[in-house]
Amino acid sequence: MKSNEQISLVRLLKKINVLFKNENIKGLRKLSDTLIQNSSVMQDDYMISLAIVIYTLSKILEKQQFESSSGWNSFYKSILKNITLLSKNMEKSEFDKYKQNMKSLILEIKRIDMKASTYIEELMKSSKIKKGSNLYTYGLSLGRAASLLGISKWELMGYLGNVELKDKKFKSMNMVSRYDMAKKVFNLK
């Protein structure tokens, strides 16, 4: 029997596939932000890594130079194939295959253009740091946010020291509200 989290993740992966096909940069970013916000409650590694990948893909779509590169078509098809595989793996509860395919997806992103590999590496790293700041904003400790994303506290602190946090727009939620939001996100009763 599938958990509500699995069902939600499968739906998200299908939505990501559609957004990427349509090159919907804003939709991908919004979905990435939503995943990070939900992850601040659930602290789910699958959703966090997916949020980083989605954000990175949105940044790649934003850069026109990649679409004009010779390897774009194979990259594009490979990304769609990997996202579909992730969805199937999650649907079938094949978590080891899911992790393996997520690694393949990340490697594919890093290989988009050998000339731009340093840029992609930095993009992946900055995506993790940016999403780490969001987790911190949503109430996770600095250490926990850094740990979930595989970055150092120092990297996250350096970024946080240079940005204005969303505190002014964001109201803190108590545990009951977070629990209710998690139930709503995963369609739990």
Side-chain angles (χ1 to χ4, degrees):
M1 187 156 128
K2 292 176 187 33
S3 70
N4 288 329
E5 291 87 1
Q6 280 178 267
I7 294 167
S8 294
L9 201 51
V10 169
R11 277 192 216 126
L12 287 169
L13 286 160
K14 289 178 180 177
K15 186 172 184 176
I16 292 163
N17 217 340
V18 170
L19 291 170
F20 187 74
K21 276 182 190 174
N22 295 330
E23 298 184 13
N24 185 337
I25 296 167
K26 287 182 182 180
L28 288 168
R29 290 226 177 111
K30 185 176 180 181
L31 187 57
S32 176
D33 289 343
T34 302
L35 282 174
I36 285 295
Q37 184 176 6
N38 294 341
S39 295
S40 69
V41 176
M42 303 303 289
Q43 298 184 25
D44 184 310
D45 291 337
Y46 293 115
M47 289 207 182
I48 291 172
S49 60
L50 195 56
I52 300 303
V53 166
I54 297 168
Y55 183 77
T56 304
L57 288 173
S58 76
K59 294 295 275 184
I60 289 171
L61 287 174
E62 191 175 62
K63 300 285 182 189
Q64 299 289 318
Q65 71 204 41
F66 292 115
E67 290 186 41
S68 61
S69 72
S70 60
W72 176 256
N73 285 336
S74 64
F75 168 79
Y76 184 80
K77 289 175 185 174
S78 178
I79 294 298
L80 292 173
K81 178 184 168 195
N82 276 311
I83 294 170
T84 302
L85 283 173
L86 289 172
S87 178
K88 287 178 182 177
N89 296 148
M90 190 53 66
E91 236 171 348
K92 295 177 181 176
S93 301
E94 299 173 333
F95 303 114
D96 289 337
K97 285 185 179 180
Y98 179 93
K99 289 177 184 176
Q100 185 179 359
N101 285 322
M102 179 58 83
K103 287 179 184 176
S104 295
L105 179 60
I106 292 169
L107 283 173
E108 189 65 36
I109 290 170
K110 290 178 180 179
R111 283 189 295 222
I112 184 174
D113 187 347
M114 294 314 277
K115 295 174 191 167
S117 65
T118 305
Y119 170 76
I120 297 297
E121 287 287 333
E122 284 299 314
L123 182 58
M124 291 289 287
K125 188 175 183 176
S126 67
S127 296
K128 288 180 179 183
I129 293 170
K130 181 170 177 35
K131 295 305 173 183
S133 74
N134 290 353
L135 285 173
Y136 179 74
T137 300
Y138 295 129
L140 263 63
S141 71
L142 183 87
R144 183 67 181 142
S147 171
L148 283 169
L149 292 162
I151 56 177
S152 75
K153 291 180 197 177
W154 294 106
E155 290 170 313
L156 189 51
M157 283 191 306
Y159 181 80
L160 291 170
N162 291 317
V163 296
E164 184 177 321
L165 294 178
K166 300 175 186 175
D167 289 319
K168 295 173 185 170
K169 299 177 198 170
F170 181 75
K171 292 182 180 178
S172 181
M173 295 190 309
N174 62 32
M175 289 302 283
V176 173
S177 298
R178 286 181 187 215
Y179 178 74
D180 290 341
M181 182 174 76
K183 284 184 359 185
K184 189 176 180 183
V185 167
F186 295 110
N187 300 319
L188 300 173
K189 292 185 180 192

